[in-house]
Every structure is written in C-alpha cells, then in structure tokens.
Amino acid sequence: MQKSNKILVLNCGSSSIKYALFTADERELCHDIVENIDSNKTHTKAIQNILLSLQQQKYVSSYSEITAVGHRVVHGKDMTQNHIITKKIQKKIKEAGVLAPLHNPHNIEGIIAIQKLLPKIPNIAVFDTAFHTTIPEYAVLYGIPLSLSKKYYIKRYGFHGISYQYICEELKKKLGKIPGKLIICHLGNGSSICAIKNGKSIDTSMGFTPMEGLMMGTRCGDVDVGAVFHIAAMRKECRDIDHILNFESGLKGIAGTNDMRMIWKKTQQKNKTAQLALDMYCYRLQKYISAYSAVLGGIDALVFTAGIGENAWYVREKVCQSLSCLGITLDRKKNRENKEKIHTGKTKVYVIPTNEEKMIVREVGRLL
Ligand code: ADP
C-alpha cells in the first residue's frame, strides 16, 4: 500500500459513529464522533456526511484517496482472524449479531453504507473478540450443561481484543519482546483485564457479553445470576433488567456517576458512596490481577490503559498498594505524573495509552 493512500476507520454504534482518517503509515489526520443517529439520521446518511466533511476540510481532495475502510466489529464469533469483508464474511458478521445484538447490527449498517457510497474499495473487519480465541477450552466454557453451551454458542468470547493487541505490539516495540507473563488492564468506561502468556490471551474478564468481570462505568461486572433472577421475580418484570445491568449499574449505580474524575473529586469531599464506588472498583481489579498472576504462574509486567488506566493515578495506587506480594510496588511520584514506567519492584508496571484506531489501520495494511 502506498503512503499517500488514506484509510478510514469506522466504529459504528447504535446512536453514534466514531471515525478517524489515517495515512497508510499510521499517521492520524483527524478523528471525530457523530452522535444522535436514529431513523431520520441513518448510518448511511451520517457516513455520507462524514465523507463530505473530510473533503470539505481538505483531508482528502477526492474520495478516491480513501483506499480502504477498516471497521471495528465487536463480535466475530469463532473467527480467529480479521478479514477482508467478502459476502461470506459479511454473512458471518450478521450471524454473530445474535450474540452481540447491541453492536454487530450497527457494524453491519456501517459496512453496507460504505459498500453503497464507495463501492470499489475494500472493507476490512477487525474484531474485538479475535485476540481471545486462544483462550483454552477450560477457561472459555461456563459450568452449564455442555449441550446448552454448544446449542447456543455460550462461552467466554472476551472483548477489547484490538486494544490488547495494540498494547502487546507497543510493548514489543519498546522492550524488544512481549513480556512472557503479562497482565493488561483496559480501564475505560467499559473495563476488562487480560492474562497474556507469550503474547497469547489465556483468560479475560469479559465473557459471553461485555457485562462480566470488573465493575465498570455503567455495567455491573460479576454478579450472582441468582441475584438477577431474584430481582426479576421481585419486580415481576425482566425486560428492563438488561438495561439496568448494562447502563445503570457499576460506578454509576453506586455513586450516581460513571465519570471517574467526578468520583475522585467527590471522595476528596468525603462523599461516602463515591468512596464506596472507588473501593469496589479497585478491589475487584486487585482480585483479578491476583487471580491472573496465579494462572500465568507469576507476573512479569502489568499494564494500565484506557481513560481510567491512563489517567487515574489514584486507582493505580490503590490497586497496587496491596499487591506487593506479587512484586508490584509503585514509584509514587512517577505514578502520580502518569509516567510510562511506574514500578520500583521486580514486576514491571507500565502506563501505555491504547489506540484501537491505529491498530485497525495496521491490520488493514497487513490484510491488503
Ligand atoms: P470508552 O472508550 O470505553 O468510552 P475511555 O477509555 O474514554 O472509555 O474512558 C472513559 C473513562 O475514563 C471515564 O470513566 C472517565 O471518567 C475516565 N477518565 C477520562 N479522563 C480521565 C482523567 N483525566 N482522570 C480520571 N479518569 C478519566
């Protein structure tokens, strides 16, 4: 691929489209988000406007400069690799929509829109799940009847794979190799953690859906399914429970906000629920780091990334405080300054910004 070629990255959600334009050598030219997508302002119309604005703002002089579009596709089901989107792959992405009804149908809308608007250029699907297809069966399956797991494709798929792959590649660039026993904490509004052995995911906290695992901005994380049944029985209504667990729980459900900056500010004013939310968030993270260090047989490096991981020094400080048994001790000053290397102990601890869009562009380059 020539360096003058430009690659558009699309991340189509239910009500918004995030986009970014890159050169083929991974230089970002612009990024933005279009919100309020609905039946009037469809994905196709919004993408048409995005293309128009790229031209008006002179990021491209003609659409022919865009030589490929990389789509972030949340669910790839059993697809272990990213793909150029053929009819067959598109069908598979559509089928995986049963497993990710909040995401894949909108990813497909974005793909169809580009096929209409820029019919000659290749579309590439980069999956959030592909990175985790190396997780062994005993860690992937849930303790429910095997027949049910098989019939309904119930298993741990994991998400944030594009981010984990990016961090692994950054570590390889910086250190010359990916640490053999690595734990990455992707702490954004959606939060997850991944145990990576010799560059391969061997376990991750998100599961069949992104709801499992760490407590998140608005998602509950691990919760006893018995409690969910009980809530449903008491409310005599279960349609809204999915919404409660996805959008009204986590930090927001405890402290009333999912903005970690606000929660920190409130803890400084001695707000009790904000302190509780922060304590719960950090405790869950500590437990997972300890568990993953056990399944890895030790830990060489711990990485924090995404909005909270990259910025909230108080979360890193609190989480690492009780992990000295794993050789994790922080340089307080460097941690508070969000420096890249923040350890003093034998286990390396890094703060590395993630860049999922850049990873998608890299994959587009590899596939073409
Ligand atoms: P997503 O991509 O999942 O929407 P992000 O990676 O952007 O999420 O992270 C969003 C989270 O990061 C929010 O909880 C937000 O409060 C937190 N965050 C962003 N900037 C900061 C900051 N400077 N300090 C602490 N938390 C921050």
Side-chain angles (χ1 to χ4, degrees):
M1 196 184 289
Q2 289 184 1
K3 283 194 174 179
S4 59
N5 294 342
K6 287 167 187 156
I7 295 161
L8 179 63
V9 176
L10 289 180
N11 181 355
C12 295
S14 57
S15 63
S16 71
I17 300 178
K18 287 185 192 156
Y19 69 94
L21 188 71
F22 281 76
T23 59
D25 56 348
E26 298 180 9
R27 195 163 50 83
E28 186 184 297
L29 298 171
C30 66
H31 71 263
D32 208 345
I33 178 166
V34 179
E35 287 176 296
N36 305 321
I37 309 281
D38 58 22
S39 51
N40 291 320
K41 190 172 157 196
T42 60
H43 284 78
T44 306
K45 275 192 197 157
I47 292 174
Q48 207 164 12
N49 290 340
I50 290 170
L51 293 174
L52 209 60
S53 104
L54 291 176
Q55 199 172 29
Q56 279 165 354
Q57 294 182 62
K58 306 216 182 321
Y59 290 117
V60 293
S61 53
S62 93
Y63 294 157
S64 64
E65 285 180 26
I66 302 173
T67 50
V69 180
H71 298 263
R72 177 184 185 221
V73 179
V74 168
H75 214 302
K77 209 172 172 185
D78 290 328
M79 281 187 270
T80 56
Q81 282 172 4
N82 303 315
H83 285 285
I84 297 174
I85 302 174
T86 57
K87 275 195 181 143
K88 194 171 148 203
I89 296 296
Q90 192 161 331
K91 190 163 166 254
K92 281 191 172 184
I93 296 171
K94 206 170 165 194
E95 280 166 11
V98 182
L99 305 174
L102 298 181
H103 298 103
N104 275 37
H106 307 298
N107 301 151
I108 286 277
E109 284 179 64
I111 293 165
I112 293 173
I114 289 291
Q115 286 166 341
K116 273 192 210 144
L117 296 166
L118 303 175
K120 289 191 182 134
I121 65 163
N123 287 283
I124 283 85
V126 181
F127 300 106
D128 239 354
T129 47
F131 186 74
H132 299 298
T133 51
T134 49
I135 300 178
E137 199 176 25
Y138 56 77
V140 145
L141 286 174
Y142 294 103
I144 59 172
L146 200 51
S147 55
L148 270 186
S149 294
K150 291 210 164 130
K151 187 167 180 189
Y152 298 120
Y153 297 94
I154 310 262
K155 62 177 184 176
R156 177 178 309 286
Y157 289 97
F159 300 89
H160 290 142
I162 303 169
S163 172
Y164 291 129
Q165 190 182 345
Y166 178 79
I167 299 294
C168 284
E169 294 192 6
E170 283 300 287
L171 286 169
K172 195 167 178 186
K173 264 195 230 162
K174 289 173 197 294
L175 310 174
K177 63 172 183 146
I178 303 170
K181 296 168 186 173
L182 171 66
I183 296 177
I184 304 177
C185 309
H186 176 111
L187 309 179
N189 201 22
S191 296
S192 74
I193 174 167
C194 186
I196 297 164
K197 196 160 198 172
N198 302 323
K200 294 203 161 73
S201 171
I202 61 161
D203 205 350
T204 191
S205 59
M206 282 180 170
F208 177 67
T209 73
M211 260 199 270
E212 195 184 349
L214 301 177
M215 197 170 96
M216 311 180 206
T218 63
R219 295 191 194 112
C220 52
D222 294 336
V223 60
D224 181 348
V225 284
V228 179
F229 285 130
H230 185 68
I231 296 170
M234 299 310 278
R235 289 171 72 97
K236 299 185 179 61
E237 161 75 86
C238 55
R239 272 174 305 171
D240 63 342
I241 290 182
D242 188 61
H243 183 86
I244 294 171
L245 300 178
N246 259 310
F247 300 105
E248 303 293 335
S249 298
L251 295 172
K252 189 175 176 197
I254 305 294
T257 172
N258 55 329
D259 188 336
M260 188 52 92
R261 290 162 287 200
M262 193 64 82
I263 290 175
W264 174 245
K265 204 168 152 200
K266 285 187 177 182
T267 61
Q268 300 311 289
Q269 296 156 354
K270 309 274 176 251
N271 179 295
K272 283 195 176 142
T273 52
Q275 188 60 54
L276 179 62
L278 184 65
D279 291 347
M280 289 171 72
Y281 187 87
C282 293
Y283 177 69
R284 183 74 60 91
L285 197 46
Q286 277 170 354
K287 276 211 297 193
Y288 266 95
I289 293 171
S290 308
Y292 283 180
S293 112
V295 298
L296 284 164
I299 168 171
D300 297 325
L302 174 68
V303 178
F304 289 93
T305 192
I308 295 172
E310 292 163 29
N311 298 294
W313 59 266
Y314 35 89
V315 169
R316 295 190 303 259
E317 191 171 282
K318 195 169 172 56
V319 167
C320 292
Q321 245 163 21
S322 63
L323 296 176
S324 56
C325 56
L326 302 177
I328 295 172
T329 48
L330 292 191
D331 181 317
R332 254 171 91 93
K333 186 163 176 287
K334 285 186 181 158
N335 180 46
R336 288 185 177 213
E337 291 167 352
N338 296 325
K339 290 277 193 280
E340 184 174 283
K341 285 182 200 169
I342 56 170
H343 53 273
T344 54
K346 79 170 175 43
T347 301
K348 316 272 186 291
V349 187
Y350 302 106
V351 178
I352 300 180
T354 193
N355 193 333
E356 287 156 293
E357 291 78 19
K358 201 184 239 193
M359 192 63 239
I360 292 173
V361 170
R362 201 172 290 167
E363 285 296 288
V364 168
R366 279 174 190 156
L367 281 164
L368 296 179

